[in-house]
Amino acid sequence: MPFGFKVDEEGASRHNALMLYRRFPRVDDHEVSSLGLGCMRLPVLQGKSGDIDQAAFESMLLAAAEAGVNYLDTAYVYHQGRSEGAIGAALDHTGLRGRFTLTTKSPVWKVKEPGDWDRYLDEQLGRLGTACIDFYLFHALSTERWSTVERTGGLAAMEKAKSDGRIRHLGFSFHDSHEAFIRIIDAYPSWDLCQVQYNYVDRDYQAGLAGIRHAAAREVGVVVMEPLRGGALASPPPAVRQVLGRWEKPRLPAEWALRFALERQEVVTVLSGMGSVDQVWANAAVADAARANSLTRSEMAVLDEARKVYMSREKVPCTTCGYCQPCPSKVAIPDVFGLWNAAEMFDVRADRSSWYRSGYLSEGTGADACTRCGVCVTKCPQGIAIPDRLAEAHDYLTKE
Ligand code: SF4
Ligand code: SF4
């Protein structure tokens, strides 16, 4: 029993009074909880992302185990590189090693040469304090990062890691256009897992529902991330609250969002980046009641209505298809529009402005690098006046 937890004699999918379990299509020997613990928003000390509150995290881990959660997701870079180490230490202190399926991700953008794949993997095994990682993912694949994987022999390195037992299963997490998702899924026939952003607002964003179906048809297990859009869907604006409040029974906004992600039978587990014991129990209670295909038409209609309200707040109709790329001046057009839209739709302007400054302006890929050459404009299927809208986005995201 490689994953250390029991399947009951009847093979029932219920292991714990507070959890439902699902299977990866290509993994026969275990089931995972339909709620997974994402370890990128762990409790921290004095607001410092790299300073994880280890005692509080261990309490969360104990609560998660008690609630039946058995899936942990992290990455090399989470919490400024401290998340994996915190997990390794917590599993030892709590004696819960073996109760959880461990998933982590390789920092693809740091890989420069073939030997880097092994170097990062071995470092991650050390941080997690294990000889084997259950699911190992290429982190945040895009067209550009997939070319890094291809150029540096990433798949060959991972096949070797599988054969020598350092990883059990291989997958990728994803942030790019739907078309890029299809290319990557179809490029390798042995993916075990893909991790995609999916929630009731981003139904058709990036991989989208069509991508989820495509993966499932190829027996690739789907893990959903950002079911609450970084927490934004848990505290919606008043107009969205009003729509959700029309439903006959009281239901918290976070519950609506989690139920939407759990509704798809193609989805194996839904990750939530939880930060407290209370969140663990609250989300576990939702996951316990949320079977696939259980939302009624009228419940889906409520979510469609809420989605329309969010979409009406969108600043620019960019679908992040990426057809306008590459820009000769390196402007990250879809990303800039994505930040602008998210800032307005989810009331998170300060957060996205800081992201824009640190991730784009400082890298020379912000809207201010646009020379108005016009190359992108004819390529945009949405007919967006890209240079003009970029200038607006820049003003919005840099306004004090
Ligand atoms: S108009 Fe601006 S954003 Fe578009 S390709 Fe030219 S420099 Fe890049
Ligand atoms: S600006 Fe147009 S072409 Fe570029 S990603 Fe957005 S929708 Fe696609």
Side-chain angles (χ1 to χ4, degrees):
M1 179 62 63
F3 292 89
F5 55 88
K6 289 183 180 169
V7 177
D8 64 29
E9 281 174 8
E10 291 80 34
S13 63
R14 182 176 285 267
H15 297 228
N16 184 292
L18 259 181
M19 190 50 59
L20 298 172
Y21 295 82
R22 300 183 183 186
R23 284 185 181 279
F24 284 94
R26 292 191 176 144
V27 180
D28 291 334
D29 57 0
H30 77 295
E31 297 176 322
V32 297
S33 48
S34 61
L35 175 70
L37 174 53
C39 297
M40 80 296 280
R41 295 189 187 94
L42 299 177
V44 296
L45 299 168
Q46 294 164 343
K48 292 182 188 155
S49 167
D51 206 354
I52 294 168
D53 183 338
Q54 191 68 22
F57 173 44
E58 288 176 12
S59 300
M60 281 176 59
L61 209 57
L62 287 162
E66 202 178 333
V69 173
N70 67 11
Y71 189 93
L72 294 182
D73 170 83
T74 184
Y76 183 84
V77 292
Y78 288 171
H79 283 282
Q80 301 177 5
R82 302 283 172 79
S83 173
E84 290 176 326
I87 291 170
L91 290 175
D92 281 347
H93 292 164
T94 55
L96 290 172
R97 189 171 287 285
R99 284 286 296 275
F100 289 95
T101 297
L102 274 180
T103 295
T104 192
K105 312 184 192 74
S106 182
V108 178
W109 58 96
K110 288 176 178 283
V111 169
K112 306 292 177 222
E113 55 190 25
D116 289 345
W117 295 110
D118 271 349
R119 194 161 61 75
Y120 284 114
L121 172 56
D122 291 341
E123 185 183 350
Q124 291 173 283
L125 288 164
R127 287 173 171 188
L128 289 161
T130 182
C132 179
I133 291 163
D134 298 311
F135 288 91
Y136 195 58
L137 312 189
F138 294 115
H139 196 169
L141 283 191
S142 59
T143 297
E144 188 193 339
R145 288 183 187 167
W146 178 241
S147 71
T148 300
V149 172
E150 291 185 309
R151 183 170 43 77
T152 56
L155 285 172
M158 292 310 131
E159 293 278 5
K160 181 171 162 287
K162 263 172 109 167
S163 66
D164 65 29
R166 285 174 297 160
I167 67 173
R168 285 202 175 93
H169 305 288
L170 180 63
F172 66 94
S173 64
F174 180 81
H175 288 291
D176 201 344
S177 65
H178 172 78
E179 289 77 8
F181 178 79
I182 300 298
R183 273 198 302 279
I184 293 169
I185 277 269
D186 290 351
Y188 181 61
S190 303
W191 295 121
D192 293 304
L193 180 160
C194 64
Q195 186 170 312
V196 299
Q197 178 165 332
Y198 181 67
N199 55 63
Y200 73 82
V201 180
D202 295 326
R203 191 188 58 199
D204 304 313
Y205 179 68
Q206 296 185 351
L209 178 55
I212 288 176
R213 289 188 170 131
H214 187 88
R218 278 152 186 72
E219 298 196 315
V220 181
V222 177
V223 171
V224 163
M225 59 183 160
E226 302 290 358
L228 304 181
R229 250 284 187 170
L233 300 184
S235 37
V240 174
R241 268 183 195 278
Q242 212 174 19
V243 171
L244 299 178
R246 281 188 215 137
W247 180 241
E248 57 200 40
K249 293 180 200 155
R251 183 179 282 171
L252 288 170
E255 179 173 352
W256 277 108
L258 280 175
R259 277 178 173 261
F260 177 84
L262 287 160
E263 171 70 4
R264 300 300 320 178
Q265 64 188 18
E266 301 92 338
V267 170
V268 181
T269 187
V270 171
L271 302 176
S272 175
M274 294 173 258
S276 70
V277 168
D278 286 351
Q279 282 178 2
V280 171
W281 282 110
N283 289 341
V286 175
D288 173 52
R291 293 177 185 278
N293 307 314
S294 65
L295 287 178
T296 62
R297 275 191 196 179
S298 25
E299 284 171 302
M300 287 305 252
V302 168
L303 287 170
D304 278 346
E305 191 63 31
R307 179 171 184 274
K308 276 187 201 141
V309 174
Y310 273 120
M311 296 314 283
S312 71
R313 297 160 64 97
E314 193 179 55
K315 298 300 288 185
V316 59
C318 173
T319 61
T320 67
C321 67
Y323 294 150
C324 54
Q325 298 280 268
C327 154
S329 301
K330 297 194 165 46
V331 178
I333 304 166
D335 291 6
V336 173
F337 286 155
L339 290 172
W340 188 23
N341 277 336
E344 189 67 13
M345 287 164 73
F346 304 108
D347 278 336
V348 287
R349 188 169 130 205
D351 179 66
R352 293 307 188 270
S353 295
S354 123
W355 200 341
Y356 179 60
R357 286 199 180 87
S358 63
Y360 296 90
L361 287 184
S362 64
E363 301 290 318
T365 57
D368 60 334
C370 173
T371 61
R372 293 185 170 269
C373 72
V375 166
C376 57
V377 179
T378 52
K379 296 185 196 164
C380 178
Q382 306 300 321
I384 298 168
I386 294 175
D388 291 347
R389 305 308 310 273
L390 279 175
E392 279 182 68
H394 181 78
D395 284 351
Y396 178 95
L397 291 166
T398 53
K399 206 163 43 184
E400 289 306 323

